[in-house]
């Protein structure tokens, strides 16, 4: 008896895996899934009833039902589980089969797995998938890196299931080895920055401007129709307006102010330090998640240092709203600029040979950081060969110049009122530092040479110098 063979397999049928697979089936491919949790397999079979999709309970049956070369995506929690699933699969696979790790794996792990699987004649794609559960179901942005021939083999499926912007699929081959996961990691770093910036804008509007949750929600909706149009702005508007069943108030007020993190933002900061490419808005966003977790200590300090109102706020409601919009727009550009700059440097340092225009293109739809701005970012990288940091590009220089002072004004007001705006402020500081031709780091060099004989360079002569300071 011959069985139907399936085009695409998924291991890990949590909501992401299940939705991704249903999306594959929607698009006319025969889709097969498995999971160690039988309830997840059942859920797939129920949700996929009447579609060309099937869930099975054993890996053996799963592998035997896939057409060759097998295309198997893993959507399981990053870390040791990925290795465990790969080890379980290996004895069942044939040469040239393809494993796609669709989770948020660390790029070091992806490099290791890529090299290891090469020795086993298995083709590996470390693949970033963005868009959450809804994106997986309706069309995510997909960032595959690794074996190029494996990409060619899975391209028809991934292109079909991905989000589309102007009919262009939000997926492209990113490059060799771990480049796909590296790019997804930086995507998440930008995501952290944008999320925290919006959170700070909400805080300023509420605590400095005295706006209600509904007013802020309406404002975010309105901003989402303009130049701040983005997925995160859209969902933040919804969040502001979500009622709370338990208190009859707004849910936003009932949510504990402790943000969790799985690590991708932190990894972005770590690699940025390794490469010497500053991303302070992303660092600050990671720091704010950390600070948020110290809830009881914060509560203690809040009573030690109660809120003060040193000056009357001289921005009237409308003035503040316009200034916050400009500050947010300014900071969004800066946050993307930091991530893109990191990718530009990583492309050289890690030999990824990244196509930055292509990355901006596939981030325009499907993923969490999709935004109107990404089309402009794409244009900036298309217009200027070798562009690294986009702040000075023709696309962005004018907008930054006209919004910078509003960011400063919002910061002045929030500082007076004691409303923490770590990311907004780091965005402004980053921009101002980059536009300063002479920073006071000559002092730091002097200090280093003073206490450690680390030498310094001079502005008027070649070479390195050391001074016997104070003598
Ligand atoms: C996406 C998201 C997704 C996930 C984050 C959450 O692009 O779809 O980034 O991958 O929501 O990993 O990360 P934290 O738990 O670190 O906030």
């Amino acid at each position: 008896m011959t069985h139907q063979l399936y085009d695409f397999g998924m291991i890990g049928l949590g909501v992401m895996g299940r939705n991704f697979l249903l999306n594959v089936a929607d698009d006319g491919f025969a889709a097969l899934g498995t999971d160690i949790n039988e309830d997840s397999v059942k859920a797939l079979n129920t949700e996929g009833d009447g579609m060309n999709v099937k869930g099975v309970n054993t890996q053996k049956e799963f592998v035997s039902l896939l057409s060759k070369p097998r295309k198997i995506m893993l959507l399981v929690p990053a870390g040791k589980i990925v290795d465990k699933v790969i080890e379980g699969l290996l004895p069942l696979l044939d040469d040239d089969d393809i494993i796609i790790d669709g989770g948020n794996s660390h790029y070091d792990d992806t490099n290791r797995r890529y090299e290891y699987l090469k020795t086993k004649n298995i083709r590996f794609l470390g693949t970033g998938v963005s868009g959450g559960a809804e994106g997986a179901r309706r069309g995510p942005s997909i960032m595959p890196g690794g074996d190029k021939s494996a990409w060619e083999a899975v391209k028809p499926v991934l292109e079909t299931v991905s989000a589309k912007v102007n009919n262009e699929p939000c997926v492209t081959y990113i490059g060799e080895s771990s480049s796909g996961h590296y790019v997804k990691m930086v995507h998440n770093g930008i995501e952290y920055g944008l999320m925290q910036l919006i959170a700070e804008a909400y805080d300023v509007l509420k605590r400095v401007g005295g706006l209600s949750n509904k007013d802020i929600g309406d404002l975010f909706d309105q901003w989402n129709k303009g130049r701040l149009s983005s997925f995160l702005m859209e969902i933040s508007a919804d969040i502001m307006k979500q009622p709370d069943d338990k208190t009859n108030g707004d849910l936003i007020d009932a949510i504990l102010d402790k943000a969790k993190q799985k690590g991708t933002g932190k990894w972005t900061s770590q690699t940025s330090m390794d490469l010497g490419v500053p991303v302070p808005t992303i660092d600050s966003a990671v720091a704010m998640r950390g600070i948020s977790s110290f809830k009881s200590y914060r509560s203690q300090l809040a009573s030690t240092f109660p809120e003060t109102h040193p000056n009357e706020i001289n921005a009237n409601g409308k003035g503040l709203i316009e200034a916050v919009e400009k500050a947010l727009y300014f900071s969004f550009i800066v946050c993307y600029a930091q991530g893109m700059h990191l990718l530009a440097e990583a492309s050289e340092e890690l030999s990824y040979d990244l196509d930055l225009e292509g990355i901006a293109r596939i981030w325009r739809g499907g993923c969490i950081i999709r935004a109107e701005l990404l089309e402009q970012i794409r244009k900036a990288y298309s217009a200027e060969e070798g562009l690294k940091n986009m702040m000075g590009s023709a696309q962005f220089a004018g907008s930054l110049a006209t919004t910078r002072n509003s960011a400063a004004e919002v910061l002045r007001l929030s500082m007076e009122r004691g409303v923490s705006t770590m990311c907004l402020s780091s965005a402004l500081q980053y921009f101002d530092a980059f536009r300063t031709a002479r920073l006071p780091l000559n002092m730091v060099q002097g200090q280093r040479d003073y206490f450690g004989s680390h030498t310094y360079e001079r502005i008027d002569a070649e070479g390195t110098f050391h001074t016997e300071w104070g003598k």
Side-chain angles (χ1 to χ4, degrees), residues 108-371:
D108 282 343
D109 286 335
T110 301
N111 278 331
R112 172 176 57 75
R113 289 173 189 139
Y114 178 68
E115 293 304 329
Y116 171 67
L117 288 170
K118 240 196 250 176
T119 68
K120 305 280 177 191
N121 295 325
I122 298 298
R123 295 181 283 171
F124 187 59
L125 285 170
T127 299
V129 178
S130 177
E134 187 59 22
R137 184 70 187 87
R138 306 275 158 226
S141 177
I142 309 173
M143 295 149 245
D147 190 297
K148 184 103 192 247
S149 72
W151 155 247
E152 296 299 340
V154 298
K155 190 174 167 185
V157 179
L158 297 189
E159 283 197 340
T160 315
V161 301
S162 74
K164 309 286 176 308
V165 173
N166 306 331
N167 288 326
E168 290 172 326
C170 290
V171 57
T172 190
Y173 176 67
I174 300 288
E176 284 294 315
S177 62
S178 58
S179 57
H181 274 143
Y182 192 92
V183 167
K184 175 59 171 43
M185 173 194 71
V186 175
H187 165 284
N188 280 27
I190 297 173
E191 174 186 300
Y192 272 51
L194 301 179
M195 289 165 74
Q196 178 65 21
L197 287 166
I198 295 173
E200 290 173 8
Y202 141 66
D203 211 20
V204 173
L205 291 168
K206 183 161 183 158
R207 289 169 57 201
V208 178
L211 271 70
S212 70
N213 293 333
K214 182 179 176 310
D215 288 345
I216 298 172
D218 288 344
L219 197 58
F220 283 2
D221 266 336
Q222 194 185 317
W223 288 355
N224 188 42
K225 294 193 181 85
R227 59 189 180 174
L228 282 169
S229 168
S230 54
F231 172 72
L232 287 170
M233 205 74 227
E234 178 189 325
I235 64 166
S236 304
D238 290 348
I239 292 167
M240 290 309 301
K241 293 191 233 168
Q242 184 76 35
D244 179 32
D245 297 343
K246 287 206 170 71
T247 60
N248 292 326
D250 297 324
L251 184 54
I252 184 77
D253 294 329
I255 297 176
L256 184 68
D257 55 335
K258 273 167 97 168
K260 300 224 161 75
Q261 49 186 322
K262 295 204 201 87
T264 42
K266 180 187 77 180
W267 300 341
T268 308
S269 287
Q270 286 171 332
T271 177
S272 84
M273 296 206 183
D274 288 342
L275 298 186
V277 186
V279 292
T281 307
I282 295 169
D283 301 337
S284 303
V286 176
M288 284 311 295
R289 292 209 189 181
I291 291 173
S292 81
S293 71
F294 292 93
K295 174 76 178 165
S296 60
Y297 185 52
R298 284 192 288 117
S299 307
Q300 189 190 322
L301 287 193
S303 49
T304 312
F305 305 109
E307 252 183 57
T308 51
H309 295 202
N311 286 324
E312 278 309 300
I313 299 307
N314 62 8
N316 62 28
K318 193 153 175 292
L320 180 73
I321 287 171
E322 279 171 14
V324 173
E325 192 270 346
K326 285 184 182 155
L328 203 49
Y329 185 63
F330 170 87
S331 313
F332 265 35
I333 297 172
V334 170
C335 184
Y336 282 106
Q338 291 175 16
M340 295 303 285
H341 188 186
L342 177 57
L343 287 181
E345 299 290 349
S347 180
E348 285 175 10
E349 285 292 320
L350 308 177
S351 306
Y352 283 149
D353 194 20
L354 299 177
D355 167 13
L356 296 176
E357 183 200 348
I359 290 167
R361 178 165 49 74
I362 67 159
W363 282 355
R364 290 177 309 170
C367 67
I368 301 296
I369 64 168
R370 62 184 184 264

Side-chain angles (χ1 to χ4, degrees), residues 194 197 227-228 281 322-338 373 390-391 396-411 423-435:
L194 301 179
L197 287 166
R227 59 189 180 174
L228 282 169
T281 307
E322 279 171 14
V324 173
E325 192 270 346
K326 285 184 182 155
L328 203 49
Y329 185 63
F330 170 87
S331 313
F332 265 35
I333 297 172
V334 170
C335 184
Y336 282 106
Q338 291 175 16
L373 271 175
M390 66 192 207
M391 288 193 301
F396 292 108
S399 307
L400 288 170
T402 52
T403 50
R404 188 252 163 225
N405 288 349
S406 298
E409 179 64 4
V410 169
L411 287 171
C423 274
L424 280 172
S425 126
S426 79
L428 181 67
Q429 298 298 335
Y430 174 90
F431 173 77
D432 279 347
F434 266 100
R435 75 192 182 103

